[in-house]
Amino acid sequence: YVVLVIEQSRLTRDTTLEDLGRIIRACQEHTVAIATPDRTYRPDDLDDFVMLGIQGVLGAAEVRRLAKRAHEGISRTASEGRYTGGIVPYGYRVTGDGFFTIHEAEAAVVREMYAWLIDEHLSLYAIQRRLNDLGVHPPNQDERRPPTARERGKRTRRTSTRWQGFTVKRILSSSFYAGERVYGKRSTSSRPLVTGSVPAIITPKRHQQALRRLNEQKARHARGQRYDYLLKGKIRCGACDHAYSG
């Protein structure tokens, strides 16, 4: 039996070499060769075993170098306030050279949302309901945009046709709208966060005021809740699609 690979480094992308060790041991136990277009390796042969190990170390080192360079490039792009992939926040578009620009019609909606939260003291649910009652298109629901003119970072599939509470909260709590983009918050590694400047829709002061209002609402809600409900937020009304709460 033979395992065919285009090159030896394609046996595994694990840079710790643990997977490579398992593969080599399995090939030794079952007398299986590893073949590339240039050479056939027999793991039960000492010379081939050593060669597989050496090439595995070199390949892992190269993968790490490539990952490091890629991360440095993305971090540099993020620090410049440029688009690095993913979904573009509501209220923004991306120019051809990768910079964020404000979409004025959506930015006006964002400013209204902050005013409702800060000045009118509306709850997230009340803001969500007002947006839906006013017929404001939720993110990525601009049906006037033809399918052939999709903009960078905007979803191509149809999402919810109504505003949802988590979308409202994300907009009202994100520092992006105050001109500060933070890259790396969702990373599972311990790498430092990278900040960059983007065009601001609201002032940093308004952003801080919004965060205080959200914290006040959260604290007030927590004080009024007597029990922890296991199904809270997990089941929805069939008529209005809102989540049940205790």
Side-chain angles (χ1 to χ4, degrees), residues 36-55:
T36 70
D38 299 324
R39 177 174 175 175
T40 297
Y41 301 87
R42 300 192 179 279
D44 53 353
D45 178 83
L46 179 60
D47 291 339
D48 285 355
F49 173 78
V50 172
M51 184 59 66
L52 284 170
I54 292 173
Q55 291 184 345

PDB file of all heavy atoms in Angstrom, residues 36-55:
ATOM      1  N   THR A  36       5.809  10.654  -3.183  1.00  0.00           N
ATOM      2  CA  THR A  36       5.642  11.965  -3.816  1.00  0.00           C
ATOM      3  C   THR A  36       6.108  11.823  -5.261  1.00  0.00           C
ATOM      4  O   THR A  36       6.696  10.793  -5.630  1.00  0.00           O
ATOM      5  CB  THR A  36       6.485  13.028  -3.083  1.00  0.00           C
ATOM      6  OG1 THR A  36       7.867  12.775  -3.347  1.00  0.00           O
ATOM      7  CG2 THR A  36       6.234  13.000  -1.580  1.00  0.00           C
ATOM      8  N   PRO A  37       5.879  12.828  -6.100  1.00  0.00           N
ATOM      9  CA  PRO A  37       6.362  12.730  -7.486  1.00  0.00           C
ATOM     10  C   PRO A  37       7.874  12.558  -7.582  1.00  0.00           C
ATOM     11  O   PRO A  37       8.391  12.055  -8.582  1.00  0.00           O
ATOM     12  CB  PRO A  37       5.917  14.053  -8.103  1.00  0.00           C
ATOM     13  CG  PRO A  37       4.702  14.445  -7.315  1.00  0.00           C
ATOM     14  CD  PRO A  37       5.000  14.007  -5.913  1.00  0.00           C
ATOM     15  N   ASP A  38       8.611  12.965  -6.521  1.00  0.00           N
ATOM     16  CA  ASP A  38      10.067  12.906  -6.573  1.00  0.00           C
ATOM     17  C   ASP A  38      10.670  11.680  -5.908  1.00  0.00           C
ATOM     18  O   ASP A  38      11.786  11.262  -6.261  1.00  0.00           O
ATOM     19  CB  ASP A  38      10.663  14.160  -5.901  1.00  0.00           C
ATOM     20  CG  ASP A  38      10.242  15.435  -6.600  1.00  0.00           C
ATOM     21  OD1 ASP A  38      10.130  15.414  -7.834  1.00  0.00           O
ATOM     22  OD2 ASP A  38      10.003  16.438  -5.896  1.00  0.00           O
ATOM     23  N   ARG A  39       9.944  11.083  -4.939  1.00  0.00           N
ATOM     24  CA  ARG A  39      10.580  10.025  -4.165  1.00  0.00           C
ATOM     25  C   ARG A  39       9.529   9.201  -3.428  1.00  0.00           C
ATOM     26  O   ARG A  39       8.449   9.682  -3.121  1.00  0.00           O
ATOM     27  CB  ARG A  39      11.557  10.650  -3.148  1.00  0.00           C
ATOM     28  CG  ARG A  39      12.228   9.639  -2.249  1.00  0.00           C
ATOM     29  CD  ARG A  39      13.276  10.285  -1.390  1.00  0.00           C
ATOM     30  NE  ARG A  39      13.844   9.327  -0.437  1.00  0.00           N
ATOM     31  CZ  ARG A  39      14.852   9.594   0.372  1.00  0.00           C
ATOM     32  NH1 ARG A  39      15.444  10.761   0.337  1.00  0.00           N
ATOM     33  NH2 ARG A  39      15.300   8.670   1.213  1.00  0.00           N
ATOM     34  N   THR A  40       9.892   7.956  -3.156  1.00  0.00           N
ATOM     35  CA  THR A  40       9.058   7.083  -2.336  1.00  0.00           C
ATOM     36  C   THR A  40       9.771   6.828  -1.011  1.00  0.00           C
ATOM     37  O   THR A  40      10.946   6.449  -0.990  1.00  0.00           O
ATOM     38  CB  THR A  40       8.785   5.747  -3.044  1.00  0.00           C
ATOM     39  OG1 THR A  40       8.060   5.984  -4.252  1.00  0.00           O
ATOM     40  CG2 THR A  40       7.957   4.834  -2.151  1.00  0.00           C
ATOM     41  N   TYR A  41       9.051   7.083   0.094  1.00  0.00           N
ATOM     42  CA  TYR A  41       9.610   6.898   1.438  1.00  0.00           C
ATOM     43  C   TYR A  41       9.010   5.643   2.065  1.00  0.00           C
ATOM     44  O   TYR A  41       7.803   5.408   1.981  1.00  0.00           O
ATOM     45  CB  TYR A  41       9.290   8.094   2.336  1.00  0.00           C
ATOM     46  CG  TYR A  41       9.807   9.414   1.832  1.00  0.00           C
ATOM     47  CD1 TYR A  41       9.050  10.190   0.947  1.00  0.00           C
ATOM     48  CD2 TYR A  41      11.038   9.898   2.251  1.00  0.00           C
ATOM     49  CE1 TYR A  41       9.519  11.407   0.490  1.00  0.00           C
ATOM     50  CE2 TYR A  41      11.520  11.134   1.800  1.00  0.00           C
ATOM     51  CZ  TYR A  41      10.750  11.876   0.917  1.00  0.00           C
ATOM     52  OH  TYR A  41      11.214  13.094   0.466  1.00  0.00           O
ATOM     53  N   ARG A  42       9.858   4.863   2.704  1.00  0.00           N
ATOM     54  CA  ARG A  42       9.395   3.691   3.448  1.00  0.00           C
ATOM     55  C   ARG A  42       9.711   3.944   4.929  1.00  0.00           C
ATOM     56  O   ARG A  42      10.867   3.833   5.344  1.00  0.00           O
ATOM     57  CB  ARG A  42      10.074   2.422   2.939  1.00  0.00           C
ATOM     58  CG  ARG A  42       9.796   2.169   1.460  1.00  0.00           C
ATOM     59  CD  ARG A  42      10.214   0.789   0.995  1.00  0.00           C
ATOM     60  NE  ARG A  42       9.904   0.607  -0.419  1.00  0.00           N
ATOM     61  CZ  ARG A  42       8.709   0.287  -0.891  1.00  0.00           C
ATOM     62  NH1 ARG A  42       7.700   0.114  -0.040  1.00  0.00           N
ATOM     63  NH2 ARG A  42       8.512   0.149  -2.183  1.00  0.00           N
ATOM     64  N   PRO A  43       8.670   4.316   5.708  1.00  0.00           N
ATOM     65  CA  PRO A  43       8.909   4.692   7.111  1.00  0.00           C
ATOM     66  C   PRO A  43       9.586   3.621   7.953  1.00  0.00           C
ATOM     67  O   PRO A  43      10.186   3.944   8.982  1.00  0.00           O
ATOM     68  CB  PRO A  43       7.486   4.988   7.629  1.00  0.00           C
ATOM     69  CG  PRO A  43       6.728   5.379   6.408  1.00  0.00           C
ATOM     70  CD  PRO A  43       7.277   4.509   5.313  1.00  0.00           C
ATOM     71  N   ASP A  44       9.505   2.337   7.519  1.00  0.00           N
ATOM     72  CA  ASP A  44      10.177   1.293   8.294  1.00  0.00           C
ATOM     73  C   ASP A  44      11.675   1.217   7.974  1.00  0.00           C
ATOM     74  O   ASP A  44      12.416   0.471   8.627  1.00  0.00           O
ATOM     75  CB  ASP A  44       9.528  -0.069   8.071  1.00  0.00           C
ATOM     76  CG  ASP A  44       9.426  -0.430   6.588  1.00  0.00           C
ATOM     77  OD1 ASP A  44       9.740   0.439   5.738  1.00  0.00           O
ATOM     78  OD2 ASP A  44       9.023  -1.566   6.279  1.00  0.00           O
ATOM     79  N   ASP A  45      12.115   2.018   6.991  1.00  0.00           N
ATOM     80  CA  ASP A  45      13.546   2.115   6.676  1.00  0.00           C
ATOM     81  C   ASP A  45      14.134   3.276   7.475  1.00  0.00           C
ATOM     82  O   ASP A  45      13.572   4.382   7.492  1.00  0.00           O
ATOM     83  CB  ASP A  45      13.742   2.354   5.178  1.00  0.00           C
ATOM     84  CG  ASP A  45      15.207   2.509   4.813  1.00  0.00           C
ATOM     85  OD1 ASP A  45      15.886   1.494   4.643  1.00  0.00           O
ATOM     86  OD2 ASP A  45      15.652   3.674   4.718  1.00  0.00           O
ATOM     87  N   LEU A  46      15.264   3.056   8.146  1.00  0.00           N
ATOM     88  CA  LEU A  46      15.822   4.068   9.036  1.00  0.00           C
ATOM     89  C   LEU A  46      16.144   5.368   8.306  1.00  0.00           C
ATOM     90  O   LEU A  46      15.829   6.464   8.785  1.00  0.00           O
ATOM     91  CB  LEU A  46      17.082   3.526   9.728  1.00  0.00           C
ATOM     92  CG  LEU A  46      17.781   4.504  10.681  1.00  0.00           C
ATOM     93  CD1 LEU A  46      16.839   4.923  11.794  1.00  0.00           C
ATOM     94  CD2 LEU A  46      19.057   3.871  11.247  1.00  0.00           C
ATOM     95  N   ASP A  47      16.793   5.275   7.132  1.00  0.00           N
ATOM     96  CA  ASP A  47      17.150   6.485   6.398  1.00  0.00           C
ATOM     97  C   ASP A  47      15.911   7.275   5.982  1.00  0.00           C
ATOM     98  O   ASP A  47      15.873   8.510   6.105  1.00  0.00           O
ATOM     99  CB  ASP A  47      17.984   6.118   5.160  1.00  0.00           C
ATOM    100  CG  ASP A  47      19.368   5.599   5.536  1.00  0.00           C
ATOM    101  OD1 ASP A  47      19.819   5.892   6.657  1.00  0.00           O
ATOM    102  OD2 ASP A  47      19.979   4.909   4.700  1.00  0.00           O
ATOM    103  N   ASP A  48      14.890   6.575   5.466  1.00  0.00           N
ATOM    104  CA  ASP A  48      13.658   7.261   5.061  1.00  0.00           C
ATOM    105  C   ASP A  48      12.931   7.841   6.280  1.00  0.00           C
ATOM    106  O   ASP A  48      12.350   8.929   6.221  1.00  0.00           O
ATOM    107  CB  ASP A  48      12.730   6.286   4.324  1.00  0.00           C
ATOM    108  CG  ASP A  48      13.206   6.010   2.906  1.00  0.00           C
ATOM    109  OD1 ASP A  48      14.190   6.657   2.480  1.00  0.00           O
ATOM    110  OD2 ASP A  48      12.619   5.156   2.228  1.00  0.00           O
ATOM    111  N   PHE A  49      12.974   7.114   7.394  1.00  0.00           N
ATOM    112  CA  PHE A  49      12.355   7.593   8.622  1.00  0.00           C
ATOM    113  C   PHE A  49      12.994   8.921   9.066  1.00  0.00           C
ATOM    114  O   PHE A  49      12.302   9.888   9.413  1.00  0.00           O
ATOM    115  CB  PHE A  49      12.492   6.537   9.716  1.00  0.00           C
ATOM    116  CG  PHE A  49      12.044   6.995  11.068  1.00  0.00           C
ATOM    117  CD1 PHE A  49      10.694   7.053  11.397  1.00  0.00           C
ATOM    118  CD2 PHE A  49      12.980   7.367  12.033  1.00  0.00           C
ATOM    119  CE1 PHE A  49      10.282   7.489  12.647  1.00  0.00           C
ATOM    120  CE2 PHE A  49      12.572   7.800  13.283  1.00  0.00           C
ATOM    121  CZ  PHE A  49      11.224   7.853  13.589  1.00  0.00           C
ATOM    122  N   VAL A  50      14.331   8.966   9.040  1.00  0.00           N
ATOM    123  CA  VAL A  50      15.056  10.187   9.421  1.00  0.00           C
ATOM    124  C   VAL A  50      14.736  11.319   8.455  1.00  0.00           C
ATOM    125  O   VAL A  50      14.511  12.468   8.859  1.00  0.00           O
ATOM    126  CB  VAL A  50      16.571   9.915   9.480  1.00  0.00           C
ATOM    127  CG1 VAL A  50      17.333  11.235   9.671  1.00  0.00           C
ATOM    128  CG2 VAL A  50      16.901   8.945  10.590  1.00  0.00           C
ATOM    129  N   MET A  51      14.703  11.014   7.149  1.00  0.00           N
ATOM    130  CA  MET A  51      14.435  12.035   6.135  1.00  0.00           C
ATOM    131  C   MET A  51      13.025  12.621   6.307  1.00  0.00           C
ATOM    132  O   MET A  51      12.830  13.834   6.185  1.00  0.00           O
ATOM    133  CB  MET A  51      14.598  11.446   4.743  1.00  0.00           C
ATOM    134  CG  MET A  51      14.433  12.487   3.620  1.00  0.00           C
ATOM    135  SD  MET A  51      15.619  13.854   3.745  1.00  0.00           S
ATOM    136  CE  MET A  51      17.153  12.976   3.427  1.00  0.00           C
ATOM    137  N   LEU A  52      12.048  11.761   6.581  1.00  0.00           N
ATOM    138  CA  LEU A  52      10.675  12.249   6.806  1.00  0.00           C
ATOM    139  C   LEU A  52      10.637  13.199   8.002  1.00  0.00           C
ATOM    140  O   LEU A  52       9.949  14.227   7.974  1.00  0.00           O
ATOM    141  CB  LEU A  52       9.729  11.077   7.036  1.00  0.00           C
ATOM    142  CG  LEU A  52       9.308  10.277   5.803  1.00  0.00           C
ATOM    143  CD1 LEU A  52       8.570   9.002   6.224  1.00  0.00           C
ATOM    144  CD2 LEU A  52       8.422  11.120   4.881  1.00  0.00           C
ATOM    145  N   GLY A  53      11.379  12.848   9.057  1.00  0.00           N
ATOM    146  CA  GLY A  53      11.410  13.714  10.235  1.00  0.00           C
ATOM    147  C   GLY A  53      12.048  15.058   9.953  1.00  0.00           C
ATOM    148  O   GLY A  53      11.537  16.108  10.359  1.00  0.00           O
ATOM    149  N   ILE A  54      13.184  15.048   9.228  1.00  0.00           N
ATOM    150  CA  ILE A  54      13.884  16.299   8.903  1.00  0.00           C
ATOM    151  C   ILE A  54      12.999  17.197   8.036  1.00  0.00           C
ATOM    152  O   ILE A  54      12.852  18.398   8.298  1.00  0.00           O
ATOM    153  CB  ILE A  54      15.219  16.001   8.188  1.00  0.00           C
ATOM    154  CG1 ILE A  54      16.190  15.322   9.153  1.00  0.00           C
ATOM    155  CG2 ILE A  54      15.826  17.284   7.634  1.00  0.00           C
ATOM    156  CD1 ILE A  54      17.468  14.842   8.500  1.00  0.00           C
ATOM    157  N   GLN A  55      12.411  16.599   7.000  1.00  0.00           N
ATOM    158  CA  GLN A  55      11.551  17.392   6.123  1.00  0.00           C
ATOM    159  C   GLN A  55      10.305  17.888   6.855  1.00  0.00           C
ATOM    160  O   GLN A  55       9.793  18.973   6.575  1.00  0.00           O
ATOM    161  CB  GLN A  55      11.174  16.560   4.900  1.00  0.00           C
ATOM    162  CG  GLN A  55      12.347  16.286   3.969  1.00  0.00           C
ATOM    163  CD  GLN A  55      11.940  15.542   2.709  1.00  0.00           C
ATOM    164  OE1 GLN A  55      10.849  14.991   2.631  1.00  0.00           O
ATOM    165  NE2 GLN A  55      12.834  15.524   1.732  1.00  0.00           N
TER     166      GLN A  55
END
